[in-house]
Amino acid sequence: MGPFNLVIETTNFCNARCMICPYSKMKRSKKIMTEEIFKKIIERIKEENLAINKIFFSGMGEPLTDPNLVGRIRAIKNLEFPVRLYTNGSLLTSEVSRKLVSEGLDEINISFNGTTPLEYKKIMNLDFEKTVKNIENLLRIKKELGRRLPFVQISLVSFSANEKSLDTHLKNWQGKADSVTVSLAHQWGGKVKISSKFKVQSSKLIYPCRSLWHTFNIDSSGNFVVCCRDYESRYVLGNIKKNSFSQVYKSPILKRFRRLHLKYSQAKLPKICQFCNFPYQGGVEWFLPRFID
């Protein structure tokens, strides 16, 4: 098996209220992952000698609301795996940035959905100037400590509220961050209505999603869920306290999802998968070796 990506949601609390996120509709109980669950993740990775490509601290929450985050990143880095952190950056104080850089964080993706204080407030309900200052301090600390990492990516999700300022977003951060990106908004299984002039080209035939073969997702309760877009943890494949990675990989639910995807038919897919653009990101090269002897 593997190598795999592993997505760990150590918290599903979030301090933002983004227009493009179903967080405000989420009924799942909000919590910070217990130390027992996190240690069990580490234990199973070691026991199973799990082949890992990269570990992501992400999920439906803002990772920096987890007071144990830096220590948990340290624990993963001690296993010598690359770590990528997804954050909105609003809690990225100079003290936190210095710790993250010192711990050897490999990548940080900062969701920055707005180019003016008004636009940013409307979309994310956060303080524009504060987040800009936090990002600038992170970049300064990297330089001050003479570190090449973390690789800093500033990302924006495009939809009607910010479409006219995409060029401004790119100009604002090019030459400062290591990467500046724009992506299309996700529909979250139809739970979030997105207005945009940019559309994902739909087709009756779809590519299978590589995440079903290459990614494990663990929520704040220790549940393995089928996808990072499964924000209610509706499709539970097992729990880290009871199930191994190898058991979850053979889960009947996961097998059913794979079979549906291998039919290449959009109409047969669960709502969470219909019109999702993730299978098209990065191409389908990952799938070809399955048919090559």
Side-chain angles (χ1 to χ4, degrees):
M1 295 194 308
F4 299 102
N5 289 324
L6 172 58
V7 179
I8 306 176
E9 178 193 74
T10 68
T11 173
N12 62 349
F13 284 105
C14 190
N15 62 324
R17 293 296 180 271
C18 298
M19 296 171 65
I20 47 178
C21 178
Y23 181 83
S24 60
K25 301 178 182 179
M26 186 174 70
K27 297 179 177 64
R28 181 161 55 102
S29 62
K30 297 178 177 63
K31 62 181 70 177
I32 291 172
M33 180 180 283
T34 65
E35 196 60 20
E36 176 193 9
I37 290 174
F38 186 78
K39 285 182 177 179
K40 193 64 179 178
I41 295 173
I42 300 295
E43 180 184 315
R44 288 201 186 277
I45 290 173
K46 291 179 179 178
E47 286 178 349
E48 299 184 61
N49 194 26
L50 189 68
I52 291 179
N53 174 49
K54 191 178 296 182
I55 292 182
F56 300 77
F57 283 85
S58 183
M60 284 305 297
E62 164 51 52
L64 291 176
T65 64
D66 175 9
N68 305 308
L69 180 67
V70 173
R72 289 171 170 179
I73 289 175
R74 182 187 307 122
I76 297 296
K77 289 300 298 179
N78 286 342
L79 297 178
E80 299 185 346
F81 295 127
V83 177
R84 182 177 178 91
L85 171 65
Y86 283 81
T87 175
N88 60 45
S90 65
L91 302 176
L92 193 65
T93 64
S94 293
E95 180 184 5
V96 171
S97 287
R98 191 170 295 275
K99 289 179 180 179
L100 292 174
V101 174
S102 298
E103 292 297 342
L105 178 68
D106 297 273
E107 303 172 21
I108 182 169
N109 179 292
I110 302 173
S111 300
F112 199 86
N113 297 303
T115 57
T116 67
L118 185 62
E119 184 179 81
Y120 183 78
K121 179 73 173 177
K122 178 182 177 182
I123 296 172
M124 301 188 72
N125 198 31
L126 294 172
D127 186 323
F128 180 88
E129 299 296 345
K130 178 182 177 182
T131 305
V132 169
K133 182 179 179 182
N134 288 347
I135 298 172
E136 290 175 343
N137 283 338
L138 169 63
L139 297 171
R140 174 183 56 79
I141 289 167
K142 260 183 66 175
K143 187 174 182 180
E144 180 184 303
L145 296 180
R147 299 293 184 92
R148 182 178 60 86
L149 300 176
F151 183 89
V152 179
Q153 182 176 70
I154 310 296
S155 64
L156 175 144
V157 174
S158 169
F159 68 117
S160 58
N162 60 17
E163 284 174 349
K164 294 181 179 179
S165 49
L166 300 185
D167 286 343
T168 303
H169 166 72
L170 297 173
K171 290 175 182 176
N172 282 350
W173 296 108
Q174 281 178 342
K176 296 179 182 178
D178 297 302
S179 173
V180 189
T181 65
V182 174
S183 60
L184 298 178
H186 196 275
Q187 297 184 44
W188 298 93
K191 298 299 183 180
V192 178
K193 301 301 180 183
I194 302 296
S195 173
S196 174
K197 66 180 180 181
F198 301 110
K199 305 292 183 183
V200 176
Q201 293 298 316
S202 61
S203 170
K204 292 182 179 180
L205 296 178
I206 60 103
Y207 293 124
C209 180
R210 65 184 183 275
S211 290
L212 297 174
W213 283 266
H214 289 177
T215 303
F216 289 105
N217 299 276
I218 302 178
D219 73 8
S220 55
S221 295
N223 293 318
F224 287 92
V225 294
V226 73
C227 174
C228 62
R229 307 292 188 184
D230 184 9
Y231 66 91
E232 292 286 17
S233 293
R234 180 182 174 188
Y235 299 99
V236 176
L237 312 175
N239 189 282
I240 193 68
K241 290 190 287 186
K242 298 179 181 179
N243 304 104
S244 67
F245 285 95
S246 58
Q247 287 174 327
V248 169
Y249 194 72
K250 299 171 184 176
S251 159
I253 296 174
L254 191 54
K255 286 183 177 180
R256 181 169 66 85
F257 267 80
R258 289 173 183 153
R259 284 197 299 269
L260 289 171
H261 274 249
L262 289 171
K263 292 181 183 296
Y264 303 94
S265 175
Q266 186 189 73
K268 292 184 173 68
L269 294 179
K271 285 288 186 181
I272 193 175
C273 300
Q274 290 191 22
F275 307 103
C276 178
N277 61 343
F278 185 77
Y280 303 93
Q281 296 175 14
V284 293
E285 290 83 357
W286 71 273
F287 197 62
L288 299 181
R290 295 173 56 85
F291 302 100
I292 300 175
D293 188 5

